[in-house]
Amino acid sequence: MAKFKLEINNLTKTFVNKKTQERLVALKDVSFQVKEREFVCVVGPSGCGKTTLLRIIAGLEKADRGEVLIDGEVIKEPGPEIGMVFQEFALFPWRTVIKNVEFGLEYKDISNEERREIAEKYLKIVDLDGWEDKYPFELSGGMKQRAAIARALVNDPKILLMDEPFGSVDAQSRNLLQSQLLQIWNETGKTILFVGHHIDEAVYLADRIIVLTALPAKVKRVYDIELSRPRNRISVKFQEIRGNILKEIFEEVMKTWI
């Protein structure tokens, strides 16, 4: 049995402008591990390659060098072992909520009744039971994102990747969604890797926070967040951790201005 649920080993990624042949190194020797059931957040300066990192882990991008392993197995392409939640919801507007959630199950050899039963289970987990037959335009931003989380969970992935999932909702909804996500995490026992740039959010959610440098992104520091849950955002310790991480990122931003 693998020691870690997710292993990132020396990932390096370079983009080349086809017109100018200019090379941009997005990631350079990025390595870290995530344990079973752990909630890990990745933060860093804007444009430092966080989304690129997540896309490589999901198998949507190819790294120039390095590897991604889940349960000790190398990941080279998208598969059911990985669920992904995007910032922009990515729901099909012509499908009802339950049909959106069922989508990933339609290619499996299961009956319509079983498919609906599984989808209803996850809609209940994200507190959307009763909204099965609504369309995305009838939902609030927070409800859309909860439907997207249910769709990602319905295939029972080994790990859930989240790319700035609450960036499209207002501040009040964002705080509510953070608390609901922790409830979903507790109920499902999933391993979560969450990419974002809101430090307050990361400290509220994570067991550990990985801070990346400015381009080319490397792991600068890893913080163990030893705070009990539910967390008090205005506690001295919470604010101390938040301030330290903000300082780390500010130092990286300043490097790009010099």
Side-chain angles (χ1 to χ4, degrees), residues 3-255:
K3 183 178 179 181
F4 297 103
K5 194 70 176 178
L6 173 68
E7 296 176 73
I8 309 300
N9 296 327
N10 304 112
L11 285 186
T12 296
K13 176 67 176 179
T14 301
F15 292 99
V16 179
N17 187 309
K18 292 182 179 179
K19 290 185 178 180
T20 66
Q21 295 303 303
E22 183 179 357
R23 299 171 66 85
L24 174 67
V25 182
L27 307 175
K28 187 174 181 180
D29 294 324
V30 174
S31 297
F32 60 89
Q33 299 81 35
V34 181
K35 293 179 287 188
E36 178 87 34
R37 293 179 59 95
E38 194 174 21
F39 197 130
V40 173
C41 286
V42 178
V43 299
S46 294
C48 76
K50 298 185 294 293
T51 294
T52 297
L53 171 62
L54 214 63
R55 288 179 60 82
I56 291 173
I57 295 170
L60 300 172
E61 293 267 3
K62 299 292 184 183
D64 303 330
R65 187 172 68 247
E67 61 182 6
V68 176
L69 297 92
I70 293 181
D71 287 335
E73 299 291 328
V74 175
I75 299 299
K76 295 183 178 180
E77 59 187 21
E81 65 274 4
I82 297 173
M84 191 157 183
V85 180
F86 302 91
Q87 177 177 338
E88 62 275 9
F89 314 132
L91 297 176
F92 300 120
W94 59 88
R95 282 178 169 247
T96 61
V97 169
I98 196 159
K99 289 299 183 182
N100 265 285
V101 175
E102 286 182 8
F103 179 74
L105 299 172
E106 292 176 0
Y107 301 94
K108 294 187 174 183
D109 186 23
I110 58 177
S111 66
N112 292 342
E113 292 77 13
E114 185 180 356
R115 190 165 66 225
R116 185 175 181 93
E117 183 179 338
I118 295 170
E120 286 175 342
K121 169 188 171 182
Y122 284 99
L123 283 173
K124 187 172 183 179
I125 288 174
V126 301
D127 199 24
L128 279 178
D129 47 324
W131 293 84
E132 294 87 350
D133 298 321
K134 301 294 183 181
Y135 286 87
F137 75 89
E138 299 178 274
L139 307 182
S140 68
M143 294 169 77
K144 289 177 185 176
Q145 197 55 288
R146 288 183 355 243
I149 292 171
R151 187 173 65 180
L153 289 172
V154 78
N155 281 312
D156 194 23
K158 293 181 178 180
I159 185 166
L160 184 63
L161 306 179
M162 308 190 81
D163 186 10
E164 194 61 44
F166 306 145
S168 298
V169 300
D170 61 86
Q172 184 176 357
S173 297
R174 189 181 195 116
N175 286 348
L176 178 60
L177 282 166
Q178 290 165 10
S179 295
Q180 290 175 325
L181 177 58
L182 288 176
Q183 292 174 9
I184 293 166
W185 174 58
N186 280 323
E187 187 165 347
T188 62
K190 293 300 175 186
T191 304
I192 296 180
L193 184 65
F194 184 110
V195 162
H197 63 268
H198 283 256
I199 309 308
D200 178 276
E201 179 173 75
V203 178
Y204 185 78
L205 291 172
D207 293 316
R208 286 190 301 135
I209 297 176
I210 296 167
V211 181
L212 300 181
T213 66
L215 289 175
K218 307 173 187 176
V219 174
K220 182 176 186 180
R221 186 162 299 179
V222 179
Y223 285 84
D224 292 311
I225 311 302
E226 296 176 344
L227 297 173
S228 60
R229 294 186 174 96
R231 292 176 178 166
N232 181 354
R233 299 176 195 263
I234 62 174
S235 73
V236 173
K237 187 62 177 177
F238 188 105
Q239 290 301 316
E240 179 185 342
I241 296 169
R242 177 179 178 274
N244 289 339
I245 296 173
L246 282 170
K247 182 180 178 182
E248 298 269 10
I249 294 175
F250 181 73
E251 289 172 355
E252 293 304 311
V253 172
M254 289 303 295
K255 291 178 183 177

